[in-house]
Amino acid sequence: MITPRLPRTRGLSRCLAAVAVVIAIWVTTLGAGRVNMYAKPGALPALSVSTLAARYKANRRAMGAALKTARRIQDFAMARSLTRLMTPGRQFLFFDARGTGRGVEVLGDLAHARRVAILVPGADTTLTTFDVRGSRPYATPGGGARALLGQARRIEPGTDLAVVAWLGYSPPKVTSPGVITDFRADTGAARLRRFVTDVHRLNPSADTTLLCHSYGSVVCGEAVRGLPVNDVAAFGSPGMSASSAAGLGTRARVWAGRGASDWIGMVPHVRVFGLGFGTDPVSPAFGARVFAAGSGGHGDYLRPGSVSLRNLALIALGRDSQVALA
């Protein structure tokens, strides 16, 4: 008896499925044996107008304790980062130095702002790269948030926009297999949903915008369904784990942009057996409003003076009719 051969497509499907399983195991066991020297965050009061100041103060104390640990164990990168993050006047709603680190910084008056913009960063972002000095500070969550707020104030002097730099999850490394799966995005999306819900409860009259860079747009794509947001903008996106803007399940205006020099445009926009993130958000097939993003590269969207920063600030301000389209 001759055993029939499997069709090539079926063999390929099984191979890809096996690869996906291996990657899942590899990603979910990352760091399992790592000894962590930093303390677990203490309990924080529920987010409310009356507890905001207490949360900021508690996180500042936690950062001070983490700085002492960083110096003791000679974690120089973390010590440098925490020294910058503890500059007087900075406000953190959440802080955790364990692992690659997480932090949520608020610029402005979150409780009384008429509009709130939440920046969700992408791959390779850690607490040690949350806000770095150098020629490109805007490419970090902290520096990008300042650049966005500065641009918004130039467009609309006196604006009461609040900007949140939300590193509330642990993004994958660009060089890791996890960057082509949504394992990290699943966890990030759940946390982002809780955060947006808490902010809406804190300030129900504010209009909220999600500004999602790179892998952060995967997080936003999985989180946004049914959330009380007015706009969601994906830039430098590998995909949003959806075949179309309508598939995101949101009533928010959906925007997408890509700089002419952004290498993400060369990434295949497919989704097969859990690998990849689906339709290109700037393609006509996706159905987003595509805004002009200029000639910049993957980390240039919030560069001061750029057309992409101006358009993202206009989106954050709710001035959709003034956004320059591509």
Side-chain angles (χ1 to χ4, degrees):
M1 179 179 177
I2 299 176
T3 302
R5 287 186 177 182
L6 287 172
R8 289 180 181 271
T9 54
R10 186 179 300 174
L12 176 61
S13 298
R14 289 183 175 179
C15 180
L16 289 172
V19 170
V21 170
V22 170
I23 289 175
I25 296 171
W26 190 88
V27 171
T28 54
T29 57
L30 275 177
R34 177 177 176 177
V35 177
N36 210 311
M37 302 297 292
Y38 294 98
K40 180 181 178 180
L44 293 170
L47 185 59
S48 69
V49 175
S50 63
T51 63
L52 264 179
R55 286 183 66 119
Y56 293 151
K57 187 175 181 179
N59 283 312
R60 188 168 187 83
R61 285 197 303 268
M63 293 166 78
L67 178 57
K68 290 179 180 178
T69 300
R71 288 170 174 165
R72 176 171 56 82
I73 66 176
Q74 298 186 346
D75 187 347
F76 301 118
M78 181 65 80
R80 285 193 298 270
S81 176
L82 290 172
T83 299
R84 288 191 293 272
L85 300 184
M86 292 182 68
T87 300
R90 299 189 76 164
Q91 307 173 136
F92 279 81
L93 270 179
F94 179 79
F95 168 77
D96 185 354
R98 296 174 303 164
T100 59
R102 290 181 285 149
V104 178
E105 184 178 16
V106 176
L107 283 68
D109 185 351
L110 187 62
H112 302 100
R114 286 189 301 167
R115 297 196 66 89
V116 176
I118 302 171
L119 287 174
V120 182
D124 274 352
T125 308
T126 67
L127 198 58
T128 58
T129 61
F130 188 93
D131 198 345
V132 299
R133 292 174 182 155
S135 60
R136 303 175 70 247
Y138 53 83
T140 68
R146 291 194 301 275
L148 179 70
L149 185 58
Q151 178 67 68
R153 286 172 173 170
R154 285 189 290 275
I155 294 172
E156 190 176 294
T159 180
D160 58 358
L161 172 72
V163 178
V164 178
W166 188 84
L167 181 58
Y169 77 118
S170 299
K173 292 182 67 63
V174 167
T175 55
S176 75
V179 80
I180 59 171
T181 74
D182 56 8
F183 295 113
R184 296 291 183 95
D186 290 344
T187 301
R191 290 173 175 165
L192 182 59
R193 287 185 63 85
R194 287 196 296 270
F195 180 74
V196 173
T197 301
D198 286 347
V199 169
H200 183 67
R201 189 179 299 116
L202 169 76
N203 187 351
S205 63
D207 290 339
T208 302
T209 298
L210 294 178
L211 302 178
C212 317
H213 178 236
S214 191
Y215 191 88
S217 67
V218 184
V219 176
C220 290
E222 296 192 9
V224 73
R225 182 176 297 273
L227 279 184
V229 298
N230 300 81
D231 294 89
V232 54
F235 46 103
S237 174
M240 301 185 77
S241 293
S243 59
S244 67
L248 295 173
T250 178
R251 295 182 180 180
R253 289 179 290 264
V254 179
W255 305 83
R258 178 178 301 141
S261 300
D262 190 344
W263 55 263
I264 204 75
M266 296 183 289
V267 173
H269 287 82
V270 297
R271 186 167 179 81
V272 180
F273 296 108
L275 305 179
F277 306 111
T279 308
D280 187 347
V282 301
S283 69
F286 191 77
R289 303 183 184 197
V290 181
F291 64 88
S295 60
H298 194 64
D300 295 330
Y301 291 95
L302 298 173
R303 178 173 55 83
S306 66
V307 63
S308 53
L309 176 61
R310 176 175 174 80
N311 280 330
L312 288 168
L314 288 168
I315 292 169
L317 290 169
R319 297 189 173 204
D320 55 292
S321 64
Q322 298 177 34
V323 175
L325 300 180

